[in-house]
Amino acid sequence: MENLNIVILGSGNVATHLSKALDKNGFTIKQIYSRTAEHASQLATQLQCQQTTSLDNLVSDADMYIFSLSDSVYQSHSEVYRFLTKRKLWGKLLVHTAGSVSIDIFSDFSDRFGVFYPLQTFSKSQDISFDNIPVCIEANTTADLHILEKMGKKLTDNVLFITSEQRKLIHVAAVFACNFTNHFYTLANEILKEKNVDFDILRPLIQETAQKVQTMPPEKAQTGPAVRFDKNIIKKHLNLLSFSSKLKKMYSFVSESIYDYHKKNKQTS
Amino acid sequence: MENLNIVILGSGNVATHLSKALDKNGFTIKQIYSRTAEHASQLATQLQCQQTTSLDNLVSDADMYIFSLSDSVYQSHSEVYRFLTKRKLWGKLLVHTAGSVSIDIFSDFSDRFGVFYPLQTFSKSQDISFDNIPVCIEANTTADLHILEKMGKKLTDNVLFITSEQRKLIHVAAVFACNFTNHFYTLANEILKEKNVDFDILRPLIQETAQKVQTMPPEKAQTGPAVRFDKNIIKKHLNLLSFSSKLKKMYSFVSESIYDYHKKNKQTS
């Protein structure tokens, strides 16, 4: 298992963290492909492996090819797709790491394919331990599912068998839980800037808000004027936001959603 | 300072955590007032102090009265307001702990008043350390500001001089950073339920999303399809949400806000 030779296609956030974690856990990264020479070179230097910026130079003797590229390359007009059409990789295990892409995109190019989707927000500049990251795996055969499971378990305690259908919806849920919440941190910062207050003041609150739902279901952790339907405070807040019609609109919209959700769930419980 | 005798009015989340923290740090909680006998009794038992459910029985020999009640009691028709009108507490330091309430609500009832607003989300059931919680203080005299500062510093390293104007806007920002983000955790959970996926899968992502902005400004931490303007994924996600017009509407609304924010800031930077 540890002698598995792997080619990584991609040099973005997921490719970087995943290839480093594989390397650290005894897997051999044979080659890094990236369209951008500088990115390929940076990552290949760290992993002491080959690099290429051309798909034509992809080594053919690896066991597994992990595609960790932006979702658009899996569309039929893309360079990668054209390459795979030209040079099928029958017998090789082709794996992608994308939330929103079906398992069967590789079915025309190999008889072995799967998904290895780590559910986390990665930044190149921020080190992160893989230990606890949920990895959603899927494969077209039981044998390859077992290979991905063993590989996953070397990296994390949190390997999950997830279908393409489930994974796609998990990806949408992750947009709400990560991308949208981060945007609300950004909007909060915009509000503070109005009165020259530093974002630092919100950091402990943000951390505790995330901490609370580590053990509680989020609907039980809901606090604030909207869930209490405190019209008086809501009105005050909307007045305070009169400097921005966008923020006012967002405040009303989300407050209404909170109120509707909890009213409905109260009635049905 | 430690010999300061304090009366706490309230037995909710803030009153509970604040009175425990004060007690732990050497302050004397003389009496707990709550309209609800059970709540008053629970907290008073923990702090080994007097309790009352009647404002008329409030002790008159305390140094400080901390009002940690729901915001509505500060309105002129409320019981507390009527009580204060009847029994002014001249010479006593009257303090409230509310984000959205002005410092001057006490000005008719004492010559000494202030604000002690801990910016955190509290749940009675969840223990929390005060060490790092930002406490926003304000007082009508420098002498009392100094008393509140000293009291705050016993509890936390994070005491901040904040005006009523700033504090009100901080409270709105906190609604975005805490209440609204928690609602997005809830909506994410709703999405997962569609395909019977456990909320556990999102917990590491939620924690890391909050962790990232402990050092980064949130606008730099933004990831996801909306900030990349990845129309293809956004369209896929909207299709996946076709089971709920509310979730679809929310997805579009927030995605547009992310896109607008980052487009605007790119142009101006």
Side-chain angles (χ1 to χ4, degrees):
Chain A
M1 182 69 187
E2 286 78 3
N3 292 324
L4 218 58
N5 285 315
I6 301 173
V7 169
I8 304 275
L9 294 99
S11 59
N13 295 337
V14 178
T16 300
H17 286 281
L18 179 57
S19 56
K20 281 186 193 174
L22 288 168
D23 178 65
K24 211 178 108 187
N25 286 284
F27 296 93
T28 306
I29 308 298
K30 228 179 141 66
Q31 191 183 35
I32 299 283
Y33 158 81
S34 170
R35 271 203 304 195
T36 318
E38 193 193 334
H39 295 169
S41 156
Q42 267 173 8
L43 191 52
T45 307
Q46 286 182 62
L47 302 172
Q48 298 183 285
C49 70
Q50 299 173 48
Q51 54 176 288
T52 180
T53 56
S54 160
L55 286 166
D56 294 324
N57 296 334
L58 225 56
V59 296
S60 54
D61 58 346
D63 306 299
M64 191 189 294
Y65 294 76
I66 301 182
F67 292 71
S68 195
L69 300 158
S70 74
D71 289 16
S72 58
V73 306
Y74 306 113
Q75 285 160 45
S76 52
H77 60 272
S78 81
E79 193 188 340
V80 173
Y81 224 78
R82 281 199 305 273
F83 164 78
L84 286 169
T85 310
K86 204 168 65 183
R87 180 169 152 197
K88 292 180 168 44
L89 291 161
W90 290 105
K92 306 296 185 185
L93 180 49
L94 308 189
V95 173
H96 76 70
T97 61
S100 288
V101 176
S102 270
I103 184 179
D104 52 17
I105 49 149
F106 292 130
S107 61
D108 287 342
F109 316 121
S110 177
D111 47 350
R112 299 174 59 202
F113 47 90
V115 179
F116 193 91
Y117 170 53
L119 182 56
Q120 187 50 283
T121 170
F122 298 101
S123 302
K124 275 190 194 174
S125 59
Q126 193 126 343
D127 273 337
I128 189 166
S129 152
F130 244 85
D131 295 0
N132 193 32
I133 295 179
V135 172
C136 306
I137 59 165
E138 196 181 359
N140 71 320
T141 69
T142 314
D144 284 332
L145 191 62
H146 191 59
I147 287 178
L148 293 180
E149 184 189 5
K150 274 179 79 177
M151 184 169 93
K153 283 190 173 168
K154 289 268 174 190
L155 270 50
T156 171
D157 299 328
N158 212 344
V159 177
L160 301 158
F161 300 96
I162 296 288
T163 66
S164 282
E165 244 198 338
Q166 287 176 314
R167 182 166 32 79
K168 286 177 193 173
L169 219 53
I170 290 168
H171 191 230
V172 184
V175 167
F176 278 76
C178 167
N179 307 151
F180 288 1
T181 61
N182 187 79
H183 184 55
F184 281 86
Y185 304 157
T186 305
L187 297 181
N189 195 15
E190 287 303 292
I191 296 168
L192 294 181
K193 283 177 189 167
E194 272 301 298
K195 297 279 172 207
N196 300 311
V197 177
D198 198 279
F199 185 65
D200 268 349
I201 202 168
L202 289 179
R203 288 188 156 120
L205 177 68
I206 286 171
Q207 196 149 43
E208 178 66 14
T209 304
Q211 192 53 45
K212 261 188 174 178
V213 298
Q214 297 303 310
T215 48
M216 272 185 180
E219 58 274 18
K220 300 264 183 228
Q222 190 63 51
T223 54
V227 70
R228 293 194 309 266
F229 197 49
D230 190 333
K231 276 191 198 172
N232 179 40
I233 296 275
I234 291 172
K235 207 176 138 194
K236 272 191 193 180
H237 283 178
L238 288 172
N239 280 335
L240 287 163
L241 290 174
S242 56
F243 65 91
S244 160
S245 62
K246 281 189 180 178
L247 288 169
K248 254 179 105 160
K249 212 173 143 193
M250 185 62 89
Y251 187 99
S252 296
F253 198 73
V254 182
S255 290
E256 228 167 87
S257 173
I258 293 174
Y259 177 68
D260 284 349
Y261 178 88
H262 288 273
K263 193 181 66 178
K264 191 187 83 190
N265 285 47
K266 211 178 244 175
Q267 281 166 350
T268 55
S269 69
Chain B
M1 182 71 188
E2 286 78 4
N3 293 325
L4 217 61
N5 285 315
I6 300 172
V7 170
I8 304 275
L9 294 99
S11 60
N13 295 335
V14 178
T16 301
H17 286 280
L18 178 58
S19 57
K20 281 187 193 173
L22 287 168
D23 177 65
K24 212 177 108 189
N25 285 285
F27 296 93
T28 307
I29 308 296
K30 226 178 142 70
Q31 190 184 35
I32 299 283
Y33 157 82
S34 170
R35 270 203 304 196
T36 319
E38 195 192 333
H39 294 169
S41 155
Q42 266 172 8
L43 192 52
T45 306
Q46 286 181 61
L47 301 173
Q48 299 183 284
C49 70
Q50 298 175 49
Q51 52 175 288
T52 179
T53 56
S54 159
L55 285 166
D56 295 324
N57 294 333
L58 224 55
V59 296
S60 52
D61 58 346
D63 305 299
M64 192 189 294
Y65 293 77
I66 301 182
F67 291 73
S68 194
L69 300 157
S70 74
D71 289 15
S72 59
V73 304
Y74 306 113
Q75 285 161 45
S76 52
H77 59 272
S78 80
E79 194 187 339
V80 172
Y81 225 78
R82 280 199 304 272
F83 163 78
L84 285 169
T85 310
K86 202 169 65 185
R87 180 169 153 198
K88 292 179 171 37
L89 291 160
W90 290 103
K92 306 295 183 183
L93 179 50
L94 308 189
V95 173
H96 76 71
T97 62
S100 288
V101 176
S102 272
I103 184 181
D104 51 18
I105 49 149
F106 292 131
S107 61
D108 286 343
F109 316 121
S110 176
D111 47 350
R112 299 175 57 203
F113 47 89
V115 179
F116 192 91
Y117 170 53
L119 182 56
Q120 189 49 287
T121 169
F122 298 100
S123 301
K124 274 191 196 173
S125 59
Q126 193 126 342
D127 271 337
I128 189 165
S129 151
F130 245 85
D131 294 0
N132 193 32
I133 295 179
V135 172
C136 305
I137 59 164
E138 197 182 359
N140 71 320
T141 68
T142 315
D144 284 332
L145 191 62
H146 190 59
I147 287 179
L148 293 180
E149 184 188 6
K150 274 179 82 178
M151 185 169 94
K153 284 190 173 167
K154 289 268 175 191
L155 270 51
T156 172
D157 299 327
N158 212 344
V159 177
L160 300 157
F161 299 96
I162 297 287
T163 66
S164 282
E165 245 199 337
Q166 287 177 314
R167 182 166 34 78
K168 286 177 191 173
L169 219 52
I170 291 167
H171 192 231
V172 184
V175 168
F176 278 74
C178 166
N179 306 152
F180 288 0
T181 63
N182 187 78
H183 184 55
F184 281 85
Y185 305 155
T186 305
L187 296 181
N189 195 17
E190 287 303 291
I191 296 168
L192 295 180
K193 282 177 189 165
E194 270 303 297
K195 297 279 172 206
N196 300 311
V197 177
D198 198 278
F199 185 65
D200 268 349
I201 201 168
L202 290 179
R203 288 189 156 119
L205 178 67
I206 286 170
Q207 197 150 43
E208 178 65 14
T209 304
Q211 193 53 45
K212 262 190 175 178
V213 298
Q214 298 303 311
T215 49
M216 270 184 182
E219 57 275 18
K220 301 265 181 226
Q222 190 63 51
T223 55
V227 69
R228 294 194 307 268
F229 196 49
D230 189 334
K231 276 190 195 172
N232 180 40
I233 298 274
I234 292 172
K235 206 177 140 194
K236 273 191 190 179
H237 283 178
L238 289 171
N239 279 335
L240 287 163
L241 291 175
S242 56
F243 65 90
S244 161
S245 61
K246 281 190 181 178
L247 287 170
K248 255 180 105 159
K249 211 173 143 193
M250 186 61 91
Y251 186 99
S252 297
F253 198 73
V254 182
S255 291
E256 228 166 88
S257 173
I258 292 174
Y259 177 68
D260 285 347
Y261 178 87
H262 289 272
K263 194 181 66 177
K264 192 187 80 190
N265 285 47
K266 213 179 241 174
Q267 282 166 347
T268 55
S269 69

